[in-house]
Amino acid sequence: MRGTTITPIDLDYLSLPGAALAFLVEVPDESAAGGVRRVLVECGPEACRPRLESELARRGIDPASIEAVLLTHIHLDHAGAAGGFASRGARILVHPRGVRHLVDPAKLVASSRRVHGDRFDRFYGEPIPGPADRIDAIEDGAAVRVGDAILRAIETPGHARHHHAWMLEHAGGRECFTGDVAAMIVPGSRFISVPTPATDFDPSAWDASLARLLDERSDRLWLTHGGRVDAPHEFLAAVRRRVADEAAFLLETARACEDREAVERYRAWLHPQADAARVPEAMRSAFLGRAFLEMNLAGTRKFLKDQLEPKHG
Ligand SMILES: [Zn+2]
């Protein structure tokens, strides 16, 4: 086998090609069974685990041979399948704030069911609780060695407080798995969409995280929702502008308008930008429709509320 490879696996999330990815990282290592060590960065929702496992099997890979799953954060579209992989023997590496939600997903599931109702099972599926002894709390800056490659956690709050980007350092360069801190790209376009969900959207923390990623000078980015980006500096600078614009608009709108009016005003602001960026109609309604607009406004209202009553812990 050549050097370290990264294979994006499309999870066919919500039957939408390109909506969410997991990344298979394979590192040659003569001391390992079969001469290769394998980890996943992200594993998608539990609802997509059969798809992910069959995509691995199609490549001749036994899902039980995945030695670790590295999570960027615990939102269910990124981490819902982690318990399933842990029950097959994988270690799960996650921000310290995420550990308890993987061991006991009940609270996460209940709040998501409240938001999504009947759609929860199709969106995410019920996660399997992860065995506590297979879940590792990873602090900012901690590095994990896989063969001669290193994966280093970069704490990057803003979209979520329990968020790490993962920097893969190997002979081929420095490649950064950005989770949602580098936002997402709407499939079928290059439009950068900024998801600001409750419970811990924080625009200034997000900006600082993007500044930190710019300083890291990676050779390439891998977005969970968007895939490979070959011009990281240019892209991260564009995301930084988009986050600032979106946050300014959302904060102003959430302060000025009640829910229904706010959704309409947000739609009237966002959709023409998506149209100008040639987002296909079907993708606009799938990714930037009412559910997205409501999610972002809810996250903004939660941020404003926390400004008034700071939360602890
Ligand atoms: Zn996400």
Side-chain angles (χ1 to χ4, degrees), residues 73 75 77-78 159 180 225:
H73 61 305
H75 288 165
D77 55 328
H78 296 249
H159 169 80
D180 286 350
H225 312 288

Side-chain angles (χ1 to χ4, degrees), residues 12-280:
D12 202 30
Y13 179 46
L14 302 172
S15 308
L16 293 166
L21 304 171
F23 300 100
L24 171 67
V25 178
E26 296 181 281
V27 184
D29 183 347
E30 278 169 21
S31 68
V36 58
R37 295 179 61 184
R38 296 189 179 95
V39 302
L40 286 172
V41 179
E42 312 283 53
C43 56
E46 176 64 11
C48 296
R49 187 157 62 95
R51 159 81 180 198
L52 175 52
E53 292 184 349
S54 71
E55 285 295 300
L56 291 171
R58 195 166 67 76
R59 293 168 170 84
I61 297 167
D62 177 356
S65 73
I66 299 295
E67 59 184 271
V69 178
L70 287 69
L71 299 173
T72 61
H73 61 305
I74 57 154
H75 288 165
L76 292 169
D77 55 328
H78 296 249
F85 279 92
S87 69
R88 286 174 174 263
R91 301 208 67 79
I92 306 300
L93 279 54
V94 66
H95 189 284
R97 286 181 186 277
V99 172
R100 67 193 173 96
H101 297 289
L102 296 179
V103 175
D104 179 9
K107 207 178 143 193
L108 206 62
V109 169
S111 72
S112 187
R113 279 194 188 279
R114 268 199 302 281
V115 174
H116 298 294
D118 292 346
R119 297 172 301 178
F120 174 87
D121 293 297
R122 188 171 66 91
F123 277 18
Y124 300 122
E126 187 93 23
I128 297 170
D133 61 352
R134 300 225 178 95
I135 300 174
D136 297 329
I138 303 294
E139 302 282 350
D140 183 26
V144 189
R145 179 172 282 282
V146 182
D148 61 4
I150 287 180
L151 284 141
R152 182 166 48 84
I154 305 171
E155 187 174 62
T156 35
H159 169 80
R161 285 203 294 174
H162 49 271
H163 195 292
H164 282 325
W166 286 96
M167 182 69 81
L168 170 67
E169 298 170 344
H170 65 109
R174 293 158 56 76
E175 314 200 40
C176 190
F177 299 96
T178 56
D180 286 350
V181 71
M184 57 176 288
I185 300 170
V186 176
S189 76
R190 300 307 293 165
F191 187 66
I192 297 167
S193 164
V194 180
T196 70
T199 58
D200 40 33
F201 165 52
D202 180 336
S204 51
W206 200 329
D207 186 66
S209 293
L210 289 165
R212 192 172 175 195
L213 288 187
L214 276 160
D215 284 345
E216 288 280 345
R217 306 207 163 276
S218 5
D219 298 307
R220 193 166 295 120
L221 308 176
W222 295 91
L223 276 61
T224 306
H225 312 288
R228 172 178 165 161
V229 171
D230 284 323
H233 197 86
E234 191 186 11
F235 183 78
L236 289 169
V239 172
R240 213 173 167 188
R241 289 191 299 272
R242 283 285 294 128
V243 169
D245 283 358
E246 196 101 1
F249 178 84
L250 281 166
L251 289 169
E252 205 254 297
T253 301
R255 283 192 185 103
C257 307
E258 292 304 318
D259 287 348
R260 256 179 71 193
E261 190 192 345
V263 168
E264 289 318 311
R265 191 168 150 181
Y266 188 17
R267 189 198 308 276
W269 179 79
L270 187 64
H271 284 192
Q273 297 181 59
D275 294 344
R278 297 170 187 277
V279 172

